[in-house]
Amino acid sequence: MFSNRQDAGERLGERLAAEGVDADIVLGIPRGALPVARPVADALEVPLDVVVASKLSAPGNPELALGAVASDGSLWLNEDLVDQVNVPQEYIDGQRDQEADAAQRKAHQYRDDGRIPDLADKRVVLVDDGVATGATAIACLRQITDAGAAAVILAVPVGSPNSIAELETEADDVIALETPSDFRAVGQYYRDFGQVSDEQAMSYLDDDTDTA
């Protein structure tokens, strides 16, 4: 159980430092990951920036992620889940456009040019506050890889064992402090898991976030 995102980030940063993780930059996924990513970046003594993706939710169930769309427009879909829920292609196309626009707006909110930082040949640590389905993390990992990163590590305080196993095929390494077998939701492992506003999230970034 983590007290809050700050506590989770401090523990995560200690773990990465202890394992000798060598990084050039830490990226957090707005909004909730930023309070976790800030202590990680401090522990590794590297800049903090953002990478953005938006979840594509199932019809009538906003908590069920069918996939995610990155701010560059690339889409990742959980094809098995799409088939299981029997989601029509028209719905997916509409949601893709809607969530791509949302991700792009978010990216511009956090970075003036809306682009991912220059990651060519850089060692990147991607941080989230936890992994449930892993959809957003996969979209972000693929965006980072496509940007030419030399290596990418996903670091999270807690995650679903099944999702963590899947994410290990997307990243060079995945570090999760906790992978409980009875995982149901990220929030159950935090005493304080309140919403993080964009203003709060942006306050964790370095003054000069434009590392491109």
Side-chain angles (χ1 to χ4, degrees), residues 2 7-22 39-40 43-44 125 153-158 164 168 173-179:
F2 304 103
D7 173 46
E10 290 172 357
R11 293 199 221 175
L12 193 57
E14 290 172 3
R15 170 75 173 274
L16 268 62
E19 293 197 6
V21 170
D22 190 11
V40 173
L44 299 180
V125 174
I153 294 173
L154 174 66
V156 296
V158 63
I164 292 296
E168 287 172 346
D173 194 9
V174 177
I175 296 175
L177 300 184
E178 303 288 346
T179 55

Short mmCIF file of all heavy atoms in Angstrom, two decimals, residues 2 7-22 39-40 43-44 125 153-158 164 168 173-179:
data_model
loop_
_atom_site.label_atom_id
_atom_site.label_comp_id
_atom_site.label_asym_id
_atom_site.label_seq_id
_atom_site.Cartn_x
_atom_site.Cartn_y
_atom_site.Cartn_z
N PHE A 2 0.64 2.16 -0.95
CA PHE A 2 1.39 3.41 -1.02
C PHE A 2 0.56 4.52 -0.39
O PHE A 2 -0.67 4.54 -0.53
CB PHE A 2 1.69 3.77 -2.48
CG PHE A 2 2.43 2.70 -3.22
CD1 PHE A 2 1.78 1.86 -4.11
CD2 PHE A 2 3.79 2.50 -3.00
CE1 PHE A 2 2.45 0.86 -4.79
CE2 PHE A 2 4.48 1.50 -3.66
CZ PHE A 2 3.81 0.67 -4.56
N ASP A 7 4.79 9.15 -2.52
CA ASP A 7 5.42 8.02 -1.84
C ASP A 7 5.76 6.91 -2.83
O ASP A 7 6.87 6.35 -2.80
CB ASP A 7 4.46 7.50 -0.76
CG ASP A 7 4.94 6.22 -0.10
OD1 ASP A 7 6.14 6.15 0.26
OD2 ASP A 7 4.13 5.28 0.07
N ALA A 8 4.85 6.61 -3.73
CA ALA A 8 5.10 5.57 -4.74
C ALA A 8 6.28 5.95 -5.62
O ALA A 8 7.13 5.10 -5.94
CB ALA A 8 3.85 5.36 -5.58
N GLY A 9 6.36 7.22 -6.01
CA GLY A 9 7.45 7.67 -6.86
C GLY A 9 8.79 7.60 -6.16
O GLY A 9 9.81 7.23 -6.77
N GLU A 10 8.80 7.94 -4.88
CA GLU A 10 10.06 7.87 -4.13
C GLU A 10 10.55 6.43 -4.02
O GLU A 10 11.73 6.15 -4.19
CB GLU A 10 9.86 8.50 -2.75
CG GLU A 10 9.69 10.01 -2.80
CD GLU A 10 9.30 10.61 -1.47
OE1 GLU A 10 9.11 9.84 -0.49
OE2 GLU A 10 9.18 11.85 -1.38
N ARG A 11 9.62 5.52 -3.75
CA ARG A 11 10.01 4.11 -3.65
C ARG A 11 10.47 3.57 -5.00
O ARG A 11 11.43 2.78 -5.09
CB ARG A 11 8.84 3.27 -3.13
CG ARG A 11 8.46 3.57 -1.69
CD ARG A 11 7.64 2.41 -1.14
NE ARG A 11 6.53 2.86 -0.33
CZ ARG A 11 5.61 2.05 0.17
NH1 ARG A 11 5.67 0.76 -0.07
NH2 ARG A 11 4.62 2.52 0.92
N LEU A 12 9.77 3.99 -6.06
CA LEU A 12 10.14 3.55 -7.40
C LEU A 12 11.51 4.10 -7.79
O LEU A 12 12.35 3.38 -8.36
CB LEU A 12 9.07 3.99 -8.39
CG LEU A 12 9.10 3.39 -9.79
CD1 LEU A 12 9.01 1.87 -9.74
CD2 LEU A 12 7.94 3.96 -10.62
N GLY A 13 11.75 5.37 -7.48
CA GLY A 13 13.04 5.97 -7.78
C GLY A 13 14.18 5.27 -7.04
O GLY A 13 15.26 5.04 -7.61
N GLU A 14 13.94 4.92 -5.78
CA GLU A 14 14.95 4.19 -5.01
C GLU A 14 15.27 2.85 -5.65
O GLU A 14 16.43 2.43 -5.71
CB GLU A 14 14.47 4.00 -3.58
CG GLU A 14 14.43 5.28 -2.75
CD GLU A 14 13.76 5.08 -1.40
OE1 GLU A 14 13.38 3.92 -1.09
OE2 GLU A 14 13.63 6.06 -0.64
N ARG A 15 14.23 2.18 -6.12
CA ARG A 15 14.42 0.86 -6.74
C ARG A 15 15.24 0.98 -8.02
O ARG A 15 16.18 0.20 -8.26
CB ARG A 15 13.05 0.24 -7.04
CG ARG A 15 13.07 -1.01 -7.90
CD ARG A 15 13.54 -2.25 -7.16
NE ARG A 15 13.37 -3.43 -8.00
CZ ARG A 15 12.24 -4.13 -8.08
NH1 ARG A 15 11.18 -3.79 -7.34
NH2 ARG A 15 12.17 -5.17 -8.88
N LEU A 16 14.90 1.95 -8.87
CA LEU A 16 15.62 2.10 -10.13
C LEU A 16 17.08 2.49 -9.87
O LEU A 16 17.98 1.99 -10.55
CB LEU A 16 14.93 3.14 -11.01
CG LEU A 16 13.88 2.59 -11.99
CD1 LEU A 16 12.73 1.92 -11.26
CD2 LEU A 16 13.34 3.70 -12.89
N ALA A 17 17.29 3.39 -8.92
CA ALA A 17 18.66 3.80 -8.59
C ALA A 17 19.45 2.62 -8.05
O ALA A 17 20.62 2.43 -8.40
CB ALA A 17 18.63 4.95 -7.60
N ALA A 18 18.82 1.82 -7.20
CA ALA A 18 19.50 0.66 -6.61
C ALA A 18 19.87 -0.37 -7.68
O ALA A 18 20.89 -1.07 -7.55
CB ALA A 18 18.61 0.02 -5.55
N GLU A 19 19.05 -0.47 -8.72
CA GLU A 19 19.32 -1.42 -9.79
C GLU A 19 20.28 -0.86 -10.83
O GLU A 19 20.60 -1.53 -11.82
CB GLU A 19 18.01 -1.86 -10.46
CG GLU A 19 17.12 -2.69 -9.55
CD GLU A 19 16.05 -3.46 -10.29
OE1 GLU A 19 16.05 -3.44 -11.55
OE2 GLU A 19 15.21 -4.09 -9.63
N GLY A 20 20.72 0.37 -10.61
CA GLY A 20 21.70 0.97 -11.51
C GLY A 20 21.15 1.35 -12.87
O GLY A 20 21.88 1.34 -13.86
N VAL A 21 19.85 1.67 -12.93
CA VAL A 21 19.25 2.08 -14.20
C VAL A 21 19.91 3.35 -14.70
O VAL A 21 20.02 4.35 -13.99
CB VAL A 21 17.73 2.29 -14.04
CG1 VAL A 21 17.15 2.95 -15.28
CG2 VAL A 21 17.04 0.96 -13.75
N ASP A 22 20.36 3.31 -15.93
CA ASP A 22 21.04 4.44 -16.56
C ASP A 22 20.11 5.05 -17.59
O ASP A 22 19.80 4.41 -18.60
CB ASP A 22 22.34 3.94 -17.21
CG ASP A 22 23.22 5.07 -17.69
OD1 ASP A 22 22.94 6.23 -17.33
OD2 ASP A 22 24.20 4.80 -18.42
N PRO A 39 9.75 12.22 -8.58
CA PRO A 39 10.78 11.64 -7.71
C PRO A 39 11.69 10.65 -8.44
O PRO A 39 12.86 10.51 -8.09
CB PRO A 39 9.98 10.94 -6.61
CG PRO A 39 8.64 11.56 -6.63
CD PRO A 39 8.40 11.94 -8.05
N VAL A 40 11.14 9.97 -9.45
CA VAL A 40 11.96 9.04 -10.22
C VAL A 40 13.03 9.81 -11.00
O VAL A 40 14.20 9.44 -10.99
CB VAL A 40 11.09 8.20 -11.18
CG1 VAL A 40 11.96 7.36 -12.11
CG2 VAL A 40 10.14 7.31 -10.39
N ALA A 43 15.66 10.99 -8.62
CA ALA A 43 16.54 9.91 -8.16
C ALA A 43 17.57 9.54 -9.22
O ALA A 43 18.72 9.21 -8.90
CB ALA A 43 15.71 8.69 -7.78
N LEU A 44 17.16 9.60 -10.49
CA LEU A 44 18.06 9.25 -11.59
C LEU A 44 18.84 10.45 -12.11
O LEU A 44 19.71 10.30 -12.98
CB LEU A 44 17.27 8.62 -12.74
CG LEU A 44 16.51 7.32 -12.40
CD1 LEU A 44 15.77 6.80 -13.62
CD2 LEU A 44 17.47 6.25 -11.87
N VAL A 125 13.04 6.17 -19.50
CA VAL A 125 12.23 5.50 -18.49
C VAL A 125 10.82 6.08 -18.58
O VAL A 125 10.63 7.29 -18.42
CB VAL A 125 12.79 5.69 -17.07
CG1 VAL A 125 11.82 5.10 -16.04
CG2 VAL A 125 14.15 5.03 -16.94
N ILE A 153 12.52 1.61 -20.63
CA ILE A 153 12.12 0.85 -19.45
C ILE A 153 10.79 1.41 -18.96
O ILE A 153 10.64 2.63 -18.83
CB ILE A 153 13.16 0.96 -18.32
CG1 ILE A 153 14.47 0.30 -18.73
CG2 ILE A 153 12.64 0.33 -17.03
CD1 ILE A 153 15.60 0.52 -17.72
N LEU A 154 9.84 0.53 -18.72
CA LEU A 154 8.59 0.95 -18.09
C LEU A 154 8.72 0.72 -16.60
O LEU A 154 9.09 -0.38 -16.16
CB LEU A 154 7.41 0.14 -18.63
CG LEU A 154 6.07 0.39 -17.94
CD1 LEU A 154 5.57 1.81 -18.20
CD2 LEU A 154 5.02 -0.63 -18.39
N ALA A 155 8.42 1.75 -15.80
CA ALA A 155 8.53 1.65 -14.35
C ALA A 155 7.22 2.09 -13.72
O ALA A 155 6.73 3.19 -13.98
CB ALA A 155 9.67 2.53 -13.84
N VAL A 156 6.63 1.20 -12.91
CA VAL A 156 5.35 1.49 -12.27
C VAL A 156 5.36 0.97 -10.83
O VAL A 156 6.04 -0.01 -10.53
CB VAL A 156 4.16 0.85 -13.03
CG1 VAL A 156 4.02 1.45 -14.41
CG2 VAL A 156 4.31 -0.66 -13.11
N PRO A 157 4.61 1.61 -9.95
CA PRO A 157 4.52 1.11 -8.59
C PRO A 157 3.77 -0.21 -8.49
O PRO A 157 4.14 -1.08 -7.69
CB PRO A 157 3.76 2.23 -7.84
CG PRO A 157 3.93 3.44 -8.70
CD PRO A 157 3.96 2.92 -10.10
N VAL A 158 2.71 -0.37 -9.29
CA VAL A 158 1.86 -1.55 -9.17
C VAL A 158 1.20 -1.86 -10.51
O VAL A 158 0.96 -0.94 -11.30
CB VAL A 158 0.78 -1.34 -8.07
CG1 VAL A 158 -0.15 -0.18 -8.44
CG2 VAL A 158 -0.02 -2.60 -7.78
N ILE A 164 1.37 -6.69 -16.95
CA ILE A 164 2.82 -6.52 -16.85
C ILE A 164 3.53 -7.51 -17.76
O ILE A 164 4.50 -7.17 -18.46
CB ILE A 164 3.29 -6.70 -15.38
CG1 ILE A 164 2.78 -5.55 -14.52
CG2 ILE A 164 4.81 -6.80 -15.31
CD1 ILE A 164 3.32 -4.18 -14.87
N GLU A 168 6.00 -6.56 -21.01
CA GLU A 168 7.40 -7.00 -21.12
C GLU A 168 7.78 -7.30 -22.57
O GLU A 168 8.97 -7.33 -22.90
CB GLU A 168 7.64 -8.22 -20.22
CG GLU A 168 7.67 -7.86 -18.74
CD GLU A 168 7.71 -9.07 -17.82
OE1 GLU A 168 7.44 -10.19 -18.33
OE2 GLU A 168 8.01 -8.90 -16.63
N ASP A 173 12.65 -3.46 -20.66
CA ASP A 173 12.54 -3.98 -19.30
C ASP A 173 11.31 -3.35 -18.65
O ASP A 173 10.91 -2.24 -19.02
CB ASP A 173 13.79 -3.63 -18.48
CG ASP A 173 13.89 -4.43 -17.18
OD1 ASP A 173 13.09 -5.37 -17.00
OD2 ASP A 173 14.77 -4.11 -16.35
N VAL A 174 10.71 -4.06 -17.74
CA VAL A 174 9.58 -3.55 -16.96
C VAL A 174 9.89 -3.75 -15.49
O VAL A 174 10.22 -4.86 -15.07
CB VAL A 174 8.25 -4.26 -17.31
CG1 VAL A 174 7.13 -3.75 -16.42
CG2 VAL A 174 7.90 -4.06 -18.78
N ILE A 175 9.81 -2.66 -14.73
CA ILE A 175 10.04 -2.73 -13.29
C ILE A 175 8.75 -2.32 -12.60
O ILE A 175 8.27 -1.19 -12.76
CB ILE A 175 11.20 -1.81 -12.87
CG1 ILE A 175 12.51 -2.30 -13.52
CG2 ILE A 175 11.33 -1.76 -11.35
CD1 ILE A 175 13.70 -1.40 -13.27
N ALA A 176 8.18 -3.25 -11.86
CA ALA A 176 6.96 -2.99 -11.09
C ALA A 176 7.23 -3.39 -9.64
O ALA A 176 7.67 -4.51 -9.38
CB ALA A 176 5.79 -3.79 -11.65
N LEU A 177 6.98 -2.48 -8.72
CA LEU A 177 7.22 -2.77 -7.32
C LEU A 177 6.29 -3.85 -6.80
O LEU A 177 6.68 -4.69 -5.98
CB LEU A 177 7.06 -1.51 -6.47
CG LEU A 177 7.99 -0.33 -6.80
CD1 LEU A 177 7.76 0.81 -5.81
CD2 LEU A 177 9.45 -0.77 -6.78
N GLU A 178 5.04 -3.84 -7.26
CA GLU A 178 4.05 -4.81 -6.81
C GLU A 178 3.25 -5.33 -8.00
O GLU A 178 2.82 -4.55 -8.85
CB GLU A 178 3.08 -4.18 -5.80
CG GLU A 178 3.74 -3.56 -4.57
CD GLU A 178 4.29 -4.59 -3.61
OE1 GLU A 178 3.94 -5.79 -3.74
OE2 GLU A 178 5.08 -4.21 -2.73
N THR A 179 3.06 -6.66 -8.03
CA THR A 179 2.19 -7.28 -9.05
C THR A 179 1.26 -8.27 -8.33
O THR A 179 1.40 -9.49 -8.50
CB THR A 179 3.01 -8.00 -10.13
OG1 THR A 179 3.89 -8.95 -9.50
CG2 THR A 179 3.82 -7.01 -10.94
#
